[in-house]
Amino acid sequence: MKSYLKHDEWKIIEEGFHPEHNRISESVFSIGNGRMGQRANFEEHYSGDSLQGSYIAGVYYPDKTRVGWWKNGYPEYFAKVINSVNWIGINIKIAGEPLDMHVLKHQNFRRELDMKTGILSRSYVVSLSDGSELEISSRRICSIADPEIGAIEFQIKSKTFKGDVELSPYLDFDVENEDSNYDEKFWEEVIVDVNGNEGHVMAKTRKLDFTVAAAMEYAINGSTIAEYNISKKNNYVESTSTHNLEPGDMLVLNKYVGISSNMYADKKEVLLKAQEAASRAMNAGFEKLLRDHSNSWQAKWEESDITIEGDVSAQQGIRFNIFQLSQTYTGVDDRLNIGPKGFTGEKYGGSTYWDTEAYCIPFYLATADQNVARNLLIYRYKHLQKAIANAEKLGFSCGAALYPMVTMNGEECHNEWEITFEEIHRNGAIAHAIYDYIRYTGDKEYLSEYGLEVLIAISRFWAQRVNWSEDKKKYVMLGVTGPNEYENNVNNNWYSNYIAKWCMTYTMESIAYVKENHPDKFAGILQKSSFVEGEMEKWKNICDNMYFPESEEHNIYLQQEGFLDKELLPASSIPEQERPISQNWSWDRILRSCFIKQADVLQGMYFFEDHFDLETIRRNFDFYEPMTAHESSLSPCVHAIIASKLGKHDKAYEMYIRTARLDLDDYNNDTEDGCHITSMGGTWMSFVKGFAGMRIKKGMPSFDPFLPKQWKSYSFNIRFRNKLIHVSVSNQGVKIDNNSNSAIDILVYGEKTQIDSGSSVSVAMNTFESAAG
């Protein structure tokens, strides 16, 4: 855990440069707009440790799989959202000396990300070898108002320097991924050209033929100049101008960049679109771009902001998570999804995991138009045939679907056998997301339009994946990996068995609904999927006879068979210097230990809490949470929600802080390769579903809030079925405002009340807290 960033309600601030943490800062201070994103690399050259990163939504590369032992069914490639054009670059020489913070002395360094406005800024004073000083500052945006535009303002002010300054803005497509499996560069040049203060590069991927163009225009002190030295080489253009400075003089370079891809334009138009965007930005000017960008952020915050009074650390944490989610995915394109690192780094390839369905959809359901979450579901529907093909490669048949663990286009591209072949519970998360979406929005039409086909294919998979055990006289599921990836190739993982049974049950309920309410569409689904209603007899038999491992001694569900053969120790027994164990222990030692990476049995308790009484949830929480190392970013949020339900308020707060500040404080020593974007949806859940106790019950929003003792109050907005409500919680009680045009029914502490349009209701605080809390 690191604590070098200042606490502030709206800003992320680094005061004094920390080169040993620079990669962490590059991740944390990243900016994006849903179409592209940029790590917080410096504009000027920096020869110290850095991970240069610029990413374009939807553009990826099938990097050839690299494994030591090939297994039947392995994918041929690992899809990667690849490092793209370095559009921010400005080479600077001062009296012939390169401006490089790694080499030159500097002071008063400050890096700041204003989350309210989406502006990244930086400043410092640099000393040259002759002792003269200059003030350096910059501001940067990826415009969320015009997502083809990136813009920079770079200022150099002389304090005591006299002499020439060379400014060389450039575009560089000669880039590579640090995680390239075979040290291969993924881009090849199409066009490069530069003329005066304008330049452009266009490149295409060596496979799949994605095409991306970047065009720049720039002005110095508000105007163009007469003389430039231009340079172009492989995938690179640069334009240089020289300026004489006296003490007190200032140079202001505004660089405007347009970026386009054939995701959004015909290949013949890609370069033109980029050039038009650069010109559009240049004509608008930096201050107008800033205003439009900031106004767009203001609109986002008006609906999604969460306020906390009395705890700056917690306040900064939740806003940072909301900020990153909002700039990563905007929901306007159902071809796109959410990578675990978003636009902040290369790890995990930038591809889609089950994280989206389990942790992100609830955030977008409650903070955006319902079509945003719908598009995330449609993304999976469009990949159904490839999910069926993925299952066929592993020996499944008759339309059974196994959605990939990792994907960009629906094909499996993960190549660790214990994940690719065994972590099959991901199928269940996709089915649960359909259920969650319909329960939240009331959009039951989704079943007949898209959802039922997906549910049938998933249920077919589960029906083939189990087998009958003569010994147990039950259906069992062998050789799986549950959510706890510190266990591989186990038999009868409780969570996997439970969600498989639930999927088949929910599919049968959905079949009945569509058959009764949409008979014409149901007939089409039968024909399209070759579904025979007799298949349900097998599903029902499996559901009635599924095996679930339990411990009578502990009165709990067992994570999997044999779990009690382990030496049961609390995670607190792990020496601090050996954490995280994933980076310090051998895999053999991890697999033999009892330690849990993330919620497993408790993941099921979270998804299906209404299936279990409170004491059952409590017993399982008290047994498993002490053994959980929380070394997955997806773990603390689930524990925060359950702890809140159980009245364990101190534990809920502990887990909330851990998820909210996971990247800001680098809890798991892995923020340097990107922020944990998908777990940030879990942070939002830990707040709204945890502290505020929000659920959907009987088609209504339901709240059971409590106020952590560290806080004076908190408030947030919720969108529900085209209505907007504002929830405020303090020691005085709970107040809910209906900011919609019609009345809404809600539940507060189990009591139903109707709130008219423009009205509010206040309820006294329920002080329930368990003895163990």
Side-chain angles (χ1 to χ4, degrees):
M1 179 175 168
K2 302 172 182 67
S3 302
Y4 71 98
L5 300 175
K6 289 179 64 68
H7 290 184
D8 184 278
E9 291 186 350
W10 275 110
K11 298 176 179 179
I12 312 300
I13 301 168
E14 179 184 6
E15 286 189 344
F17 185 47
H18 299 78
E20 72 279 14
H21 300 325
N22 187 47
R23 287 194 180 214
I24 297 171
S25 292
E26 288 177 338
S27 299
V28 168
F29 289 84
S30 294
I31 56 174
N33 60 19
R35 289 269 288 270
M36 63 179 177
Q38 173 68 49
R39 283 173 63 84
N41 310 116
F42 298 157
E43 290 88 358
E44 73 275 22
H45 177 69
Y46 178 68
S47 58
D49 187 36
S50 172
L51 175 62
Q52 193 277 324
S54 171
Y55 311 98
I56 311 296
V59 177
Y60 70 97
Y61 190 83
D63 198 11
K64 182 173 171 54
T65 294
R66 185 170 188 170
V67 292
W69 179 20
W70 192 269
K71 296 175 178 65
N72 189 37
Y74 262 163
E76 296 287 334
Y77 67 90
F78 191 99
K80 294 176 177 176
V81 174
I82 49 179
N83 196 0
S84 185
V85 59
N86 179 3
W87 62 270
I88 66 171
I90 305 170
N91 284 326
I92 299 166
K93 289 184 179 180
I94 303 171
E97 203 168 352
L99 180 59
D100 181 351
M101 279 185 56
H102 188 62
V103 175
L104 297 176
K105 292 181 180 180
H106 54 84
Q107 57 185 325
N108 301 334
F109 178 90
R110 180 183 175 94
R111 178 162 27 191
E112 176 183 296
L113 175 60
D114 187 334
M115 296 181 288
K116 182 181 283 189
T117 60
I119 299 171
L120 173 64
S121 60
R122 182 170 55 97
S123 62
Y124 63 97
V125 175
V126 64
S127 301
L128 302 181
S129 55
D130 65 2
S132 59
E133 293 184 336
L134 300 98
E135 296 176 351
I136 309 296
S137 63
S138 67
R139 292 188 292 172
R140 182 197 308 171
I141 62 169
C142 286
S143 175
I144 209 159
D146 191 338
E148 291 182 320
I149 289 174
I152 297 166
E153 178 189 77
F154 197 95
Q155 296 186 356
I156 303 174
K157 181 178 180 180
S158 171
K159 293 183 72 176
T160 58
F161 171 76
K162 296 175 62 175
D164 288 342
V165 175
E166 275 186 11
L167 300 177
S168 302
Y170 65 85
L171 298 172
D172 184 10
F173 235 129
D174 189 26
V175 295
E176 59 188 49
N177 271 47
E178 194 172 71
D179 69 346
S180 172
N181 284 343
Y182 294 91
D183 298 323
E184 178 186 9
K185 288 187 177 180
F186 300 147
W187 295 99
E188 61 182 34
E189 178 185 304
V190 177
I191 300 171
V192 299
D193 201 9
V194 59
N195 182 23
N197 69 323
E198 301 179 10
H200 58 259
V201 292
M202 186 163 72
K204 66 178 182 179
T205 53
R206 297 182 186 276
K207 298 177 184 175
L208 302 184
D209 206 28
F210 283 109
T211 301
V212 174
M216 72 172 179
E217 297 186 20
Y218 71 92
I220 298 174
N221 290 347
S223 63
T224 59
I225 58 177
E227 295 185 7
Y228 299 91
N229 291 319
I230 59 175
S231 172
K232 58 182 179 180
K233 53 186 178 181
N234 180 45
N235 265 331
Y236 181 96
V237 296
E238 179 181 82
S239 173
T240 301
S241 58
T242 302
H243 310 265
N244 186 262
L245 284 188
E246 295 285 337
D249 288 349
M250 177 184 288
L251 289 171
V252 180
L253 188 156
N254 289 116
K255 181 179 180 181
Y256 305 100
V257 178
I259 297 178
S260 183
S261 77
N262 63 331
M263 287 284 292
Y264 296 99
D266 184 272
K267 288 181 184 178
K268 296 179 181 178
E269 301 291 322
V270 169
L271 178 56
L272 177 62
K273 291 289 185 183
Q275 291 172 317
E276 288 176 345
S279 294
R280 194 162 63 243
M282 180 82 160
N283 291 335
F286 191 75
E287 293 302 325
K288 184 177 188 309
L289 292 176
L290 241 57
R291 287 195 302 272
D292 293 345
H293 175 68
S294 299
N295 288 340
S296 295
W297 268 112
Q298 181 180 349
K300 284 183 174 290
W301 284 116
E302 285 175 357
E303 289 203 349
S304 64
D305 189 25
I306 289 176
T307 65
I308 300 170
E309 184 184 10
D311 189 340
V312 175
S313 173
Q315 177 68 86
Q316 183 185 47
I318 191 63
R319 282 187 173 140
F320 176 69
N321 284 255
I322 294 170
F323 176 81
Q324 289 289 356
L325 284 164
S326 298
Q327 69 175 5
T328 298
Y329 183 76
T330 58
V332 297
D333 189 341
D334 62 24
R335 298 171 299 171
L336 301 180
N337 209 286
I338 306 160
K341 295 293 184 181
F343 296 124
T344 70
E346 298 177 7
K347 193 174 182 182
Y348 304 122
S351 304
T352 300
Y353 286 63
W354 68 290
D355 307 18
T356 292
E357 283 74 23
Y359 301 95
C360 294
I361 280 181
F363 168 79
Y364 293 107
L365 279 172
T367 62
D369 183 90
Q370 73 180 47
N371 284 326
V372 173
R374 204 174 202 262
N375 278 342
L376 287 170
L377 298 183
I378 291 173
Y379 175 90
R380 294 293 193 179
Y381 173 78
K382 288 185 172 182
H383 291 169
L384 176 58
Q385 294 309 310
K386 288 186 177 179
I388 292 171
N390 290 334
E392 288 175 348
K393 292 175 184 177
L394 303 183
F396 297 88
S397 60
C398 301
L402 176 59
Y403 276 90
M405 186 66 185
V406 177
T407 193
M408 284 298 298
N409 66 353
E411 294 177 322
E412 177 65 78
C413 62
H414 197 281
N415 45 45
E416 295 175 17
W417 65 271
E418 68 276 13
I419 306 298
T420 308
F421 305 146
E422 295 188 345
E423 200 165 336
I424 54 178
H425 65 82
R426 64 213 190 222
N427 252 13
I430 291 166
H432 190 270
I434 295 172
Y435 163 78
D436 202 23
Y437 168 79
I438 293 171
R439 175 178 58 171
Y440 197 95
T441 63
D443 180 15
K444 289 188 175 182
E445 305 304 304
Y446 186 81
L447 278 175
S448 59
E449 292 180 46
Y450 303 105
L452 186 55
E453 288 181 56
V454 172
L455 293 172
I456 288 171
I458 287 174
S459 291
R460 284 169 165 170
F461 171 82
W462 291 126
Q464 294 178 41
R465 186 58 175 79
V466 301
N467 63 273
W468 178 258
S469 166
E470 280 296 331
D471 178 61
K472 292 181 171 62
K473 303 301 181 186
K474 293 283 185 179
Y475 283 97
V476 297
M477 199 181 307
L478 310 178
V480 302
T481 297
N484 172 27
E485 293 172 339
Y486 288 171
E487 297 275 11
N488 300 151
N489 197 29
V490 301
N491 293 336
N492 293 308
N493 170 255
W494 181 86
Y495 172 73
S496 298
N497 285 18
Y498 199 90
I499 204 164
K501 174 183 175 179
W502 175 84
C503 283
M504 289 182 278
T505 300
Y506 179 55
T507 301
M508 289 187 282
E509 293 171 357
S510 299
I511 287 170
Y513 173 82
V514 175
K515 182 179 181 180
E516 179 179 352
N517 294 279
H518 302 281
D520 293 342
K521 289 185 177 179
F522 183 68
I525 292 169
L526 292 181
Q527 183 177 12
K528 189 174 181 180
S529 63
S530 301
F531 177 72
V532 178
E533 292 191 58
E535 291 183 57
M536 291 191 291
E537 295 179 11
K538 181 178 181 181
W539 298 352
K540 187 176 187 306
N541 185 42
I542 293 170
C543 292
D544 290 343
N545 295 281
M546 184 74 84
Y547 174 69
F548 297 103
E550 300 182 38
S551 167
E552 292 184 6
E553 176 187 356
H554 297 280
N555 200 12
I556 57 161
Y557 298 111
L558 283 181
Q559 184 174 277
Q560 72 268 344
E561 287 188 271
F563 186 82
L564 293 181
D565 292 336
K566 296 172 177 286
E567 182 182 10
L568 302 183
L569 299 169
S572 59
S573 67
I574 304 170
E576 189 64 33
Q577 65 270 21
E578 296 180 16
R579 303 188 75 163
I581 59 175
S582 61
Q583 298 175 21
N584 292 284
W585 285 14
S586 70
W587 198 241
D588 169 74
R589 185 181 179 189
I590 290 173
L591 292 176
R592 289 186 288 107
S593 79
C594 70
F595 300 124
I596 300 169
K597 183 180 181 185
Q598 69 189 76
D600 197 304
V601 170
L602 298 181
Q603 181 73 35
M605 297 286 176
Y606 157 65
F607 267 164
F608 307 112
E609 65 175 18
D610 291 343
H611 298 191
F612 310 99
D613 61 51
L614 199 63
E615 289 310 308
T616 298
I617 297 173
R618 187 187 309 281
R619 286 194 305 272
N620 283 273
F621 185 91
D622 289 346
F623 182 80
Y624 286 110
E625 195 283 326
M627 289 184 279
T628 305
H630 299 294
E631 291 180 5
S632 165
S633 65
L634 305 176
S635 185
C637 61
V638 172
H639 290 81
I641 295 167
I642 298 176
S644 296
K645 181 180 179 67
L646 295 174
K648 296 175 179 287
H649 295 170
D650 288 343
K651 176 58 70 172
Y653 179 82
E654 174 196 341
M655 292 292 99
Y656 165 77
I657 288 295
R658 182 168 184 132
T659 183
R661 299 194 62 85
L662 181 78
D663 291 311
L664 292 175
D665 294 337
D666 195 24
Y667 266 90
N668 290 340
N669 200 32
D670 59 358
T671 305
E672 64 181 18
D673 46 31
C675 294
H676 297 81
I677 303 301
T678 49
S679 77
M680 292 177 176
T683 300
W684 180 91
M685 293 194 312
S686 71
F687 190 104
V688 174
K689 294 189 175 187
F691 301 143
M694 180 182 170
R695 305 289 190 274
I696 303 303
K697 296 182 178 180
K698 301 177 182 179
M700 295 176 284
S702 172
F703 300 93
D704 288 276
F706 75 92
L707 183 67
K709 63 187 180 185
Q710 294 86 350
W711 302 352
K712 295 179 181 179
S713 69
Y714 63 82
S715 66
F716 59 94
N717 289 325
I718 288 294
R719 292 185 65 157
F720 179 75
R721 301 186 182 179
N722 299 316
K723 298 175 182 179
L724 182 66
I725 60 176
H726 182 74
V727 181
S728 305
V729 179
S730 69
N731 286 321
Q732 283 68 51
V734 182
K735 182 185 178 187
I736 301 180
D737 298 286
N738 180 5
N739 297 323
S740 309
N741 295 323
S742 58
I744 186 171
D745 291 330
I746 63 167
L747 296 168
V748 183
Y749 299 125
E751 296 294 323
K752 181 180 176 180
T753 185
Q754 184 180 84
I755 313 176
D756 292 333
S757 171
S759 298
S760 63
V761 64
S762 297
V763 179
M765 177 70 69
N766 187 326
T767 57
F768 160 75
E769 183 167 355
S770 74

